[in-house]
Amino acid sequence: MRNLILSSLFLFLVRPFSFAVEMTQEVSKPGDTMEKQWSPVFPVTFSKGLFRMTFDVSKNHISGFLLIKKTSDSSTSIVFSNEFGVCFFYFEVIHGKFLIRNLFPSFNRKSLVSLLEQDFRLILFTDISFKKIKVIPASDSTIRCFKISARQGSFLYEVIRKTKEITEIRTIYTMFRKTIISPDHYSEGIPWTIRIFHPIQGIMMKISYLSP
């Protein structure tokens, strides 16, 4: 019954996009720049991690373990399964191409897979399709804000000024593709908690780091 409910809820999801970032040096004043002035959500040295993951949509709740592992310099596996070994999804990214290896029926929706692809590309991979990066004023003096235009859309990044760690990635200038990604509690460059919220679809994901 829960699978049928989830399947119906996922039908209205909209197709998102892909984007991610890497670290560069700092500029001090608001204005246009093409320099990326933040650290990636995961450091380039990250190769494997086990996470606790919860997936909530409407009144439905799924929990399990998320394994992210670089199997080579050009390949990364992303597997979400529960305590009983049921695999909800298994994706693999090879040479930048996002491949579906296994999907639980409730997750077997093109729009949902596109949404998940966007999320994992944002937090794991680096893109170079920048058109414009603009430093904008921030209300908090400890935070720097960047408005970014890229081939796949526009984004707002909030970055801790001192550490260059990303605290929020938010889509802008879109009505149906709203996404908010909030990494938190960094340790040795790795966020111990990442919250991903899609308000239009009512989807909330929480990823909590357990071990390498």
Side-chain angles (χ1 to χ4, degrees):
M1 182 63 183
R2 186 177 71 175
N3 293 342
L4 292 174
I5 295 173
L6 283 172
S7 297
S8 62
L9 287 170
F10 293 148
L11 288 174
F12 67 90
L13 297 176
V14 295
R15 183 177 182 84
F17 38 81
S18 305
F19 190 75
V21 294
E22 62 182 356
M23 180 177 68
T24 59
Q25 60 185 359
E26 182 179 9
V27 297
S28 57
K29 295 180 180 180
D32 294 344
T33 176
M34 282 305 293
E35 297 180 352
K36 301 177 284 295
Q37 302 157 50
W38 50 85
S39 301
V41 175
F42 285 92
V44 294
T45 55
F46 175 81
S47 61
K48 183 178 68 172
L50 180 66
F51 304 81
R52 182 72 178 174
M53 179 171 170
T54 59
F55 186 101
D56 294 276
V57 54
S58 186
K59 296 181 180 180
N60 298 281
H61 174 83
I62 297 175
S63 64
F65 297 100
L66 178 71
L67 176 65
I68 300 173
K69 182 179 181 180
K70 289 185 179 179
T71 54
S72 72
D73 290 340
S74 58
S75 176
T76 300
S77 295
I78 305 165
V79 183
F80 178 37
S81 59
N82 67 11
E83 295 85 344
F84 304 102
V86 176
C87 181
F88 297 118
F89 59 72
Y90 171 21
F91 303 131
E92 192 170 11
V93 182
I94 301 178
H95 294 291
K97 188 174 182 180
F98 196 85
L99 304 174
I100 301 169
R101 299 305 190 193
N102 191 20
L103 279 176
F104 194 71
S106 295
F107 286 82
N108 191 12
R109 297 291 182 271
K110 183 178 180 180
S111 53
L112 176 59
V113 172
S114 295
L115 199 65
L116 292 169
E117 177 182 356
Q118 170 206 258
D119 296 337
F120 287 115
R121 285 189 182 275
L122 276 166
I123 64 176
L124 289 174
F125 303 106
T126 301
D127 195 0
I128 57 173
S129 62
F130 296 100
K131 294 181 179 179
K132 186 177 182 181
I133 302 173
K134 185 173 184 178
V135 183
I136 61 175
S139 57
D140 187 338
S141 61
T142 65
I143 297 294
R144 308 194 70 211
C145 291
F146 302 90
K147 186 166 65 174
I148 300 164
S149 297
R151 184 178 55 215
Q152 300 296 336
S154 299
F155 307 85
L156 185 67
Y157 276 67
E158 292 189 0
V159 180
I160 298 174
R161 184 180 293 271
K162 184 177 181 180
T163 63
K164 295 188 177 180
E165 295 167 347
I166 296 171
T167 61
E168 185 173 282
I169 303 171
R170 180 187 294 262
T171 57
I172 53 177
Y173 305 138
T174 177
M175 292 182 61
F176 303 108
R177 297 179 177 180
K178 294 185 182 297
T179 300
I180 304 170
I181 298 178
S182 304
D184 199 5
H185 300 100
Y186 283 85
S187 178
E188 297 182 352
I190 295 176
W192 282 57
T193 304
I194 301 174
R195 290 177 173 84
I196 303 173
F197 182 40
H198 300 283
I200 301 300
Q201 295 82 10
I203 292 177
M204 171 67 80
M205 290 178 279
K206 182 180 179 182
I207 301 172
S208 302
Y209 184 62
L210 296 176
S211 65

Short mmCIF file of all heavy atoms in Angstrom, two decimals, residues 57-115:
data_model
loop_
_atom_site.label_atom_id
_atom_site.label_comp_id
_atom_site.label_asym_id
_atom_site.label_seq_id
_atom_site.Cartn_x
_atom_site.Cartn_y
_atom_site.Cartn_z
N VAL A 57 8.29 11.91 2.05
CA VAL A 57 7.42 12.59 1.10
C VAL A 57 6.00 12.45 1.62
O VAL A 57 5.54 11.35 1.92
CB VAL A 57 7.55 12.02 -0.33
CG1 VAL A 57 7.33 10.52 -0.36
CG2 VAL A 57 6.60 12.74 -1.28
N SER A 58 5.34 13.61 1.79
CA SER A 58 4.01 13.64 2.40
C SER A 58 4.08 12.96 3.77
O SER A 58 4.90 13.32 4.60
CB SER A 58 2.99 12.96 1.48
OG SER A 58 1.69 13.10 1.98
N LYS A 59 3.27 11.95 4.01
CA LYS A 59 3.27 11.25 5.31
C LYS A 59 4.05 9.94 5.24
O LYS A 59 4.01 9.15 6.19
CB LYS A 59 1.84 10.98 5.75
CG LYS A 59 1.03 12.25 6.03
CD LYS A 59 -0.37 11.91 6.48
CE LYS A 59 -1.16 13.19 6.74
NZ LYS A 59 -2.56 12.88 7.19
N ASN A 60 4.77 9.72 4.16
CA ASN A 60 5.50 8.47 3.98
C ASN A 60 6.97 8.66 4.34
O ASN A 60 7.58 9.67 4.00
CB ASN A 60 5.38 8.01 2.53
CG ASN A 60 3.94 7.72 2.15
OD1 ASN A 60 3.40 6.68 2.46
ND2 ASN A 60 3.31 8.69 1.48
N HIS A 61 7.53 7.66 5.03
CA HIS A 61 8.89 7.74 5.53
C HIS A 61 9.65 6.47 5.15
O HIS A 61 9.17 5.36 5.35
CB HIS A 61 8.86 7.89 7.05
CG HIS A 61 10.21 7.84 7.69
ND1 HIS A 61 11.04 8.95 7.78
CD2 HIS A 61 10.89 6.82 8.28
CE1 HIS A 61 12.16 8.61 8.39
NE2 HIS A 61 12.10 7.32 8.70
N ILE A 62 10.83 6.67 4.58
CA ILE A 62 11.73 5.56 4.26
C ILE A 62 13.09 5.87 4.87
O ILE A 62 13.57 7.01 4.79
CB ILE A 62 11.87 5.37 2.73
CG1 ILE A 62 10.53 4.99 2.11
CG2 ILE A 62 12.90 4.29 2.41
CD1 ILE A 62 10.57 4.91 0.59
N SER A 63 13.71 4.88 5.48
CA SER A 63 15.04 5.09 6.05
C SER A 63 15.93 3.91 5.70
O SER A 63 15.46 2.81 5.41
CB SER A 63 14.97 5.25 7.58
OG SER A 63 14.49 4.06 8.18
N GLY A 64 17.22 4.16 5.72
CA GLY A 64 18.18 3.11 5.39
C GLY A 64 19.58 3.65 5.40
O GLY A 64 19.89 4.65 6.08
N PHE A 65 20.44 2.99 4.63
CA PHE A 65 21.85 3.38 4.57
C PHE A 65 22.22 3.77 3.15
O PHE A 65 21.82 3.11 2.18
CB PHE A 65 22.74 2.22 5.03
CG PHE A 65 22.51 1.83 6.46
CD1 PHE A 65 21.72 0.73 6.77
CD2 PHE A 65 23.06 2.57 7.50
CE1 PHE A 65 21.49 0.37 8.10
CE2 PHE A 65 22.84 2.23 8.82
CZ PHE A 65 22.06 1.13 9.13
N LEU A 66 22.99 4.84 3.05
CA LEU A 66 23.46 5.33 1.76
C LEU A 66 24.97 5.10 1.70
O LEU A 66 25.71 5.57 2.56
CB LEU A 66 23.16 6.81 1.60
CG LEU A 66 23.66 7.47 0.30
CD1 LEU A 66 22.84 6.98 -0.89
CD2 LEU A 66 23.58 8.99 0.41
N LEU A 67 25.41 4.38 0.69
CA LEU A 67 26.83 4.15 0.47
C LEU A 67 27.27 4.90 -0.77
O LEU A 67 26.70 4.71 -1.86
CB LEU A 67 27.13 2.66 0.30
CG LEU A 67 28.59 2.30 -0.03
CD1 LEU A 67 29.52 2.67 1.13
CD2 LEU A 67 28.73 0.82 -0.36
N ILE A 68 28.26 5.76 -0.62
CA ILE A 68 28.85 6.48 -1.74
C ILE A 68 30.31 6.05 -1.84
O ILE A 68 31.06 6.16 -0.87
CB ILE A 68 28.76 8.00 -1.55
CG1 ILE A 68 27.29 8.44 -1.42
CG2 ILE A 68 29.42 8.72 -2.72
CD1 ILE A 68 27.13 9.91 -1.06
N LYS A 69 30.70 5.55 -3.00
CA LYS A 69 32.05 5.02 -3.14
C LYS A 69 32.60 5.31 -4.53
O LYS A 69 31.95 5.04 -5.54
CB LYS A 69 32.05 3.51 -2.90
CG LYS A 69 33.42 2.87 -2.98
CD LYS A 69 33.35 1.37 -2.70
CE LYS A 69 34.73 0.72 -2.77
NZ LYS A 69 34.67 -0.74 -2.50
N LYS A 70 33.79 5.88 -4.57
CA LYS A 70 34.51 6.04 -5.82
C LYS A 70 35.18 4.73 -6.15
O LYS A 70 36.07 4.27 -5.44
CB LYS A 70 35.54 7.16 -5.72
CG LYS A 70 34.96 8.55 -5.64
CD LYS A 70 36.06 9.60 -5.66
CE LYS A 70 35.49 11.01 -5.62
NZ LYS A 70 36.56 12.04 -5.61
N THR A 71 34.75 4.10 -7.23
CA THR A 71 35.32 2.81 -7.62
C THR A 71 36.53 2.97 -8.55
O THR A 71 37.28 2.03 -8.76
CB THR A 71 34.26 1.95 -8.30
OG1 THR A 71 33.67 2.67 -9.37
CG2 THR A 71 33.16 1.58 -7.28
N SER A 72 36.69 4.18 -9.09
CA SER A 72 37.87 4.51 -9.91
C SER A 72 37.93 6.03 -10.01
O SER A 72 37.08 6.73 -9.47
CB SER A 72 37.79 3.86 -11.29
OG SER A 72 36.82 4.51 -12.08
N ASP A 73 38.91 6.55 -10.73
CA ASP A 73 39.01 7.99 -10.90
C ASP A 73 37.85 8.56 -11.69
O ASP A 73 37.55 9.76 -11.60
CB ASP A 73 40.32 8.34 -11.62
CG ASP A 73 41.54 8.10 -10.74
OD1 ASP A 73 41.37 8.03 -9.50
OD2 ASP A 73 42.65 7.97 -11.29
N SER A 74 37.17 7.73 -12.44
CA SER A 74 36.08 8.21 -13.30
C SER A 74 34.73 7.56 -12.99
O SER A 74 33.78 7.72 -13.74
CB SER A 74 36.43 7.96 -14.77
OG SER A 74 36.66 6.58 -14.99
N SER A 75 34.65 6.83 -11.88
CA SER A 75 33.42 6.10 -11.56
C SER A 75 33.07 6.22 -10.09
O SER A 75 33.93 6.09 -9.22
CB SER A 75 33.58 4.63 -11.94
OG SER A 75 32.44 3.87 -11.57
N THR A 76 31.80 6.49 -9.81
CA THR A 76 31.29 6.59 -8.44
C THR A 76 29.98 5.83 -8.33
O THR A 76 29.09 5.98 -9.18
CB THR A 76 31.06 8.06 -8.04
OG1 THR A 76 32.30 8.78 -8.13
CG2 THR A 76 30.53 8.17 -6.61
N SER A 77 29.86 5.01 -7.27
CA SER A 77 28.63 4.27 -7.01
C SER A 77 27.85 4.94 -5.88
O SER A 77 28.43 5.40 -4.90
CB SER A 77 28.95 2.83 -6.62
OG SER A 77 29.54 2.14 -7.70
N ILE A 78 26.50 4.96 -6.02
CA ILE A 78 25.61 5.56 -5.03
C ILE A 78 24.49 4.56 -4.77
O ILE A 78 23.66 4.30 -5.65
CB ILE A 78 25.03 6.89 -5.54
CG1 ILE A 78 26.15 7.86 -5.94
CG2 ILE A 78 24.13 7.53 -4.49
CD1 ILE A 78 25.68 9.03 -6.79
N VAL A 79 24.45 3.98 -3.56
CA VAL A 79 23.51 2.91 -3.25
C VAL A 79 22.73 3.24 -1.98
O VAL A 79 23.32 3.54 -0.94
CB VAL A 79 24.24 1.56 -3.07
CG1 VAL A 79 23.22 0.44 -2.82
CG2 VAL A 79 25.11 1.23 -4.27
N PHE A 80 21.41 3.19 -2.07
CA PHE A 80 20.53 3.41 -0.92
C PHE A 80 19.73 2.13 -0.67
O PHE A 80 18.98 1.69 -1.53
CB PHE A 80 19.58 4.58 -1.20
CG PHE A 80 18.60 4.89 -0.10
CD1 PHE A 80 18.95 4.78 1.24
CD2 PHE A 80 17.31 5.31 -0.42
CE1 PHE A 80 18.04 5.07 2.24
CE2 PHE A 80 16.39 5.62 0.57
CZ PHE A 80 16.75 5.49 1.90
N SER A 81 19.91 1.52 0.51
CA SER A 81 19.22 0.28 0.86
C SER A 81 18.82 0.32 2.32
O SER A 81 19.36 1.12 3.10
CB SER A 81 20.11 -0.93 0.57
OG SER A 81 21.32 -0.85 1.32
N ASN A 82 17.91 -0.55 2.72
CA ASN A 82 17.49 -0.56 4.12
C ASN A 82 18.21 -1.64 4.91
O ASN A 82 19.08 -2.36 4.40
CB ASN A 82 15.97 -0.69 4.24
CG ASN A 82 15.45 -2.05 3.78
OD1 ASN A 82 16.21 -3.00 3.54
ND2 ASN A 82 14.14 -2.17 3.66
N GLU A 83 17.81 -1.78 6.20
CA GLU A 83 18.48 -2.71 7.10
C GLU A 83 18.30 -4.17 6.69
O GLU A 83 19.06 -5.04 7.11
CB GLU A 83 17.96 -2.51 8.53
CG GLU A 83 18.31 -1.16 9.14
CD GLU A 83 17.30 -0.07 8.78
OE1 GLU A 83 16.51 -0.28 7.83
OE2 GLU A 83 17.32 0.98 9.46
N PHE A 84 17.29 -4.43 5.87
CA PHE A 84 16.99 -5.80 5.45
C PHE A 84 17.58 -6.13 4.09
O PHE A 84 17.31 -7.20 3.54
CB PHE A 84 15.48 -6.02 5.45
CG PHE A 84 14.81 -5.70 6.75
CD1 PHE A 84 14.12 -4.52 6.93
CD2 PHE A 84 14.93 -6.57 7.83
CE1 PHE A 84 13.52 -4.21 8.13
CE2 PHE A 84 14.33 -6.27 9.05
CZ PHE A 84 13.63 -5.09 9.21
N GLY A 85 18.37 -5.22 3.55
CA GLY A 85 19.03 -5.47 2.28
C GLY A 85 18.22 -5.11 1.05
O GLY A 85 18.65 -5.39 -0.08
N VAL A 86 17.05 -4.49 1.24
CA VAL A 86 16.24 -4.06 0.09
C VAL A 86 16.88 -2.81 -0.52
O VAL A 86 17.08 -1.80 0.17
CB VAL A 86 14.80 -3.76 0.52
CG1 VAL A 86 14.00 -3.23 -0.67
CG2 VAL A 86 14.15 -5.01 1.09
N CYS A 87 17.19 -2.87 -1.79
CA CYS A 87 17.84 -1.75 -2.48
C CYS A 87 16.77 -0.82 -3.06
O CYS A 87 15.96 -1.24 -3.88
CB CYS A 87 18.74 -2.26 -3.58
SG CYS A 87 19.62 -0.95 -4.48
N PHE A 88 16.79 0.44 -2.62
CA PHE A 88 15.85 1.43 -3.16
C PHE A 88 16.37 2.03 -4.46
O PHE A 88 15.61 2.24 -5.39
CB PHE A 88 15.59 2.52 -2.12
CG PHE A 88 14.94 2.01 -0.87
CD1 PHE A 88 15.58 2.12 0.35
CD2 PHE A 88 13.69 1.42 -0.91
CE1 PHE A 88 15.00 1.65 1.50
CE2 PHE A 88 13.08 0.95 0.24
CZ PHE A 88 13.74 1.06 1.46
N PHE A 89 17.65 2.33 -4.50
CA PHE A 89 18.25 2.74 -5.75
C PHE A 89 19.75 2.46 -5.73
O PHE A 89 20.39 2.44 -4.69
CB PHE A 89 17.97 4.20 -6.10
CG PHE A 89 18.45 5.23 -5.11
CD1 PHE A 89 19.80 5.52 -4.94
CD2 PHE A 89 17.54 5.95 -4.37
CE1 PHE A 89 20.24 6.49 -4.05
CE2 PHE A 89 17.96 6.93 -3.45
CZ PHE A 89 19.31 7.18 -3.30
N TYR A 90 20.25 2.20 -6.92
CA TYR A 90 21.68 2.00 -7.13
C TYR A 90 22.03 2.74 -8.41
O TYR A 90 21.62 2.36 -9.50
CB TYR A 90 22.00 0.51 -7.23
CG TYR A 90 23.42 0.16 -7.67
CD1 TYR A 90 24.47 1.06 -7.57
CD2 TYR A 90 23.70 -1.11 -8.18
CE1 TYR A 90 25.76 0.73 -7.97
CE2 TYR A 90 24.98 -1.45 -8.59
CZ TYR A 90 25.99 -0.53 -8.49
OH TYR A 90 27.27 -0.85 -8.89
N PHE A 91 22.79 3.83 -8.25
CA PHE A 91 23.23 4.63 -9.40
C PHE A 91 24.74 4.52 -9.53
O PHE A 91 25.46 4.26 -8.57
CB PHE A 91 22.86 6.10 -9.22
CG PHE A 91 21.40 6.36 -8.99
CD1 PHE A 91 20.98 7.17 -7.94
CD2 PHE A 91 20.45 5.81 -9.83
CE1 PHE A 91 19.63 7.42 -7.72
CE2 PHE A 91 19.10 6.05 -9.62
CZ PHE A 91 18.69 6.85 -8.57
N GLU A 92 25.20 4.74 -10.74
CA GLU A 92 26.63 4.79 -10.98
C GLU A 92 26.92 5.95 -11.94
O GLU A 92 26.20 6.13 -12.93
CB GLU A 92 27.14 3.48 -11.56
CG GLU A 92 28.66 3.36 -11.55
CD GLU A 92 29.14 1.96 -11.90
OE1 GLU A 92 28.31 1.13 -12.34
OE2 GLU A 92 30.34 1.70 -11.73
N VAL A 93 27.91 6.74 -11.63
CA VAL A 93 28.32 7.84 -12.49
C VAL A 93 29.68 7.47 -13.09
O VAL A 93 30.66 7.31 -12.36
CB VAL A 93 28.40 9.16 -11.72
CG1 VAL A 93 28.79 10.30 -12.67
CG2 VAL A 93 27.08 9.47 -11.03
N ILE A 94 29.72 7.32 -14.40
CA ILE A 94 30.94 6.93 -15.10
C ILE A 94 31.25 7.97 -16.16
O ILE A 94 30.42 8.23 -17.05
CB ILE A 94 30.79 5.53 -15.75
CG1 ILE A 94 30.46 4.47 -14.69
CG2 ILE A 94 32.06 5.15 -16.50
CD1 ILE A 94 30.25 3.09 -15.25
N HIS A 95 32.42 8.58 -16.06
CA HIS A 95 32.83 9.63 -17.00
C HIS A 95 31.75 10.70 -17.13
O HIS A 95 31.45 11.19 -18.23
CB HIS A 95 33.17 9.05 -18.36
CG HIS A 95 34.37 8.15 -18.35
ND1 HIS A 95 35.66 8.62 -18.15
CD2 HIS A 95 34.47 6.79 -18.50
CE1 HIS A 95 36.50 7.60 -18.20
NE2 HIS A 95 35.81 6.48 -18.39
N GLY A 96 31.11 11.04 -16.00
CA GLY A 96 30.10 12.09 -15.98
C GLY A 96 28.71 11.64 -16.38
O GLY A 96 27.75 12.41 -16.26
N LYS A 97 28.56 10.40 -16.84
CA LYS A 97 27.25 9.90 -17.26
C LYS A 97 26.55 9.21 -16.10
O LYS A 97 27.13 8.34 -15.44
CB LYS A 97 27.40 8.93 -18.43
CG LYS A 97 26.06 8.52 -19.04
CD LYS A 97 26.26 7.68 -20.29
CE LYS A 97 24.93 7.29 -20.93
NZ LYS A 97 25.12 6.48 -22.15
N PHE A 98 25.31 9.59 -15.84
CA PHE A 98 24.53 9.07 -14.72
C PHE A 98 23.76 7.83 -15.17
O PHE A 98 22.89 7.89 -16.05
CB PHE A 98 23.55 10.14 -14.24
CG PHE A 98 22.95 9.89 -12.89
CD1 PHE A 98 23.62 10.27 -11.73
CD2 PHE A 98 21.72 9.27 -12.77
CE1 PHE A 98 23.07 10.05 -10.47
CE2 PHE A 98 21.16 9.04 -11.53
CZ PHE A 98 21.84 9.44 -10.37
N LEU A 99 24.09 6.67 -14.59
CA LEU A 99 23.51 5.39 -15.00
C LEU A 99 22.67 4.80 -13.88
O LEU A 99 23.03 4.87 -12.70
CB LEU A 99 24.62 4.42 -15.38
CG LEU A 99 25.59 4.88 -16.46
CD1 LEU A 99 26.71 3.86 -16.63
CD2 LEU A 99 24.86 5.11 -17.77
N ILE A 100 21.54 4.18 -14.25
CA ILE A 100 20.67 3.50 -13.30
C ILE A 100 20.99 2.01 -13.33
O ILE A 100 20.86 1.36 -14.36
CB ILE A 100 19.19 3.72 -13.67
CG1 ILE A 100 18.85 5.21 -13.69
CG2 ILE A 100 18.28 2.98 -12.70
CD1 ILE A 100 17.50 5.51 -14.30
N ARG A 101 21.41 1.49 -12.17
CA ARG A 101 21.71 0.07 -12.08
C ARG A 101 20.57 -0.73 -11.46
O ARG A 101 20.35 -1.88 -11.81
CB ARG A 101 22.99 -0.13 -11.25
CG ARG A 101 24.24 0.52 -11.82
CD ARG A 101 24.51 0.06 -13.23
NE ARG A 101 25.82 0.48 -13.71
CZ ARG A 101 26.21 0.43 -14.96
NH1 ARG A 101 25.36 -0.03 -15.89
NH2 ARG A 101 27.41 0.82 -15.32
N ASN A 102 19.85 -0.10 -10.52
CA ASN A 102 18.73 -0.79 -9.87
C ASN A 102 17.80 0.24 -9.26
O ASN A 102 18.25 1.25 -8.72
CB ASN A 102 19.25 -1.74 -8.79
CG ASN A 102 18.16 -2.67 -8.28
OD1 ASN A 102 17.16 -2.90 -8.95
ND2 ASN A 102 18.36 -3.22 -7.09
N LEU A 103 16.48 -0.01 -9.35
CA LEU A 103 15.49 0.89 -8.77
C LEU A 103 14.37 0.09 -8.13
O LEU A 103 13.83 -0.84 -8.74
CB LEU A 103 14.90 1.81 -9.84
CG LEU A 103 15.68 3.05 -10.26
CD1 LEU A 103 14.95 3.74 -11.40
CD2 LEU A 103 15.87 3.99 -9.10
N PHE A 104 14.02 0.43 -6.91
CA PHE A 104 12.82 -0.11 -6.27
C PHE A 104 11.61 0.47 -6.99
O PHE A 104 11.65 1.62 -7.46
CB PHE A 104 12.82 0.29 -4.79
CG PHE A 104 11.84 -0.46 -3.95
CD1 PHE A 104 12.05 -1.79 -3.65
CD2 PHE A 104 10.72 0.18 -3.43
CE1 PHE A 104 11.16 -2.49 -2.86
CE2 PHE A 104 9.82 -0.51 -2.64
CZ PHE A 104 10.03 -1.85 -2.35
N PRO A 105 10.50 -0.27 -7.13
CA PRO A 105 9.35 0.22 -7.91
C PRO A 105 8.88 1.63 -7.53
O PRO A 105 8.54 2.43 -8.41
CB PRO A 105 8.27 -0.83 -7.61
CG PRO A 105 9.04 -2.08 -7.40
CD PRO A 105 10.31 -1.66 -6.68
N SER A 106 8.87 1.97 -6.23
CA SER A 106 8.40 3.29 -5.82
C SER A 106 9.31 4.41 -6.30
O SER A 106 8.89 5.56 -6.40
CB SER A 106 8.29 3.36 -4.29
OG SER A 106 7.29 2.47 -3.84
N PHE A 107 10.57 4.10 -6.59
CA PHE A 107 11.53 5.09 -7.07
C PHE A 107 11.67 5.08 -8.59
O PHE A 107 12.39 5.91 -9.14
CB PHE A 107 12.91 4.83 -6.45
CG PHE A 107 13.01 5.23 -5.00
CD1 PHE A 107 12.54 4.38 -4.01
CD2 PHE A 107 13.57 6.45 -4.63
CE1 PHE A 107 12.63 4.74 -2.67
CE2 PHE A 107 13.66 6.82 -3.31
CZ PHE A 107 13.19 5.96 -2.32
N ASN A 108 10.96 4.18 -9.23
CA ASN A 108 11.10 4.03 -10.68
C ASN A 108 10.21 5.02 -11.42
O ASN A 108 9.24 4.66 -12.08
CB ASN A 108 10.77 2.59 -11.08
CG ASN A 108 11.17 2.30 -12.52
OD1 ASN A 108 11.88 3.09 -13.15
ND2 ASN A 108 10.71 1.17 -13.04
N ARG A 109 10.55 6.30 -11.27
CA ARG A 109 9.86 7.39 -11.95
C ARG A 109 10.92 8.30 -12.56
O ARG A 109 11.86 8.72 -11.87
CB ARG A 109 8.98 8.18 -10.98
CG ARG A 109 7.83 7.37 -10.37
CD ARG A 109 6.78 7.01 -11.43
NE ARG A 109 5.66 6.28 -10.84
CZ ARG A 109 5.61 4.97 -10.71
NH1 ARG A 109 6.65 4.23 -11.13
NH2 ARG A 109 4.57 4.39 -10.18
N LYS A 110 10.77 8.61 -13.82
CA LYS A 110 11.77 9.42 -14.51
C LYS A 110 12.00 10.75 -13.82
O LYS A 110 13.15 11.21 -13.67
CB LYS A 110 11.33 9.64 -15.96
CG LYS A 110 12.35 10.40 -16.80
CD LYS A 110 11.87 10.53 -18.23
CE LYS A 110 12.89 11.30 -19.07
NZ LYS A 110 12.44 11.43 -20.48
N SER A 111 10.92 11.40 -13.38
CA SER A 111 11.05 12.71 -12.73
C SER A 111 11.77 12.60 -11.40
O SER A 111 12.58 13.48 -11.05
CB SER A 111 9.67 13.34 -12.53
OG SER A 111 8.81 12.46 -11.85
N LEU A 112 11.53 11.55 -10.66
CA LEU A 112 12.20 11.36 -9.37
C LEU A 112 13.69 11.06 -9.57
O LEU A 112 14.55 11.59 -8.86
CB LEU A 112 11.54 10.24 -8.58
CG LEU A 112 12.22 9.87 -7.25
CD1 LEU A 112 12.28 11.07 -6.31
CD2 LEU A 112 11.51 8.70 -6.59
N VAL A 113 14.00 10.21 -10.54
CA VAL A 113 15.39 9.90 -10.82
C VAL A 113 16.15 11.16 -11.24
O VAL A 113 17.29 11.39 -10.84
CB VAL A 113 15.49 8.82 -11.92
CG1 VAL A 113 16.94 8.64 -12.37
CG2 VAL A 113 14.94 7.49 -11.40
N SER A 114 15.50 12.01 -12.05
CA SER A 114 16.13 13.27 -12.44
C SER A 114 16.39 14.16 -11.24
O SER A 114 17.42 14.84 -11.15
CB SER A 114 15.24 14.01 -13.45
OG SER A 114 15.11 13.28 -14.64
N LEU A 115 15.45 14.16 -10.31
CA LEU A 115 15.62 14.94 -9.08
C LEU A 115 16.80 14.42 -8.26
O LEU A 115 17.63 15.20 -7.78
CB LEU A 115 14.34 14.87 -8.26
CG LEU A 115 14.10 15.93 -7.19
CD1 LEU A 115 13.95 17.29 -7.81
CD2 LEU A 115 12.88 15.57 -6.37
#
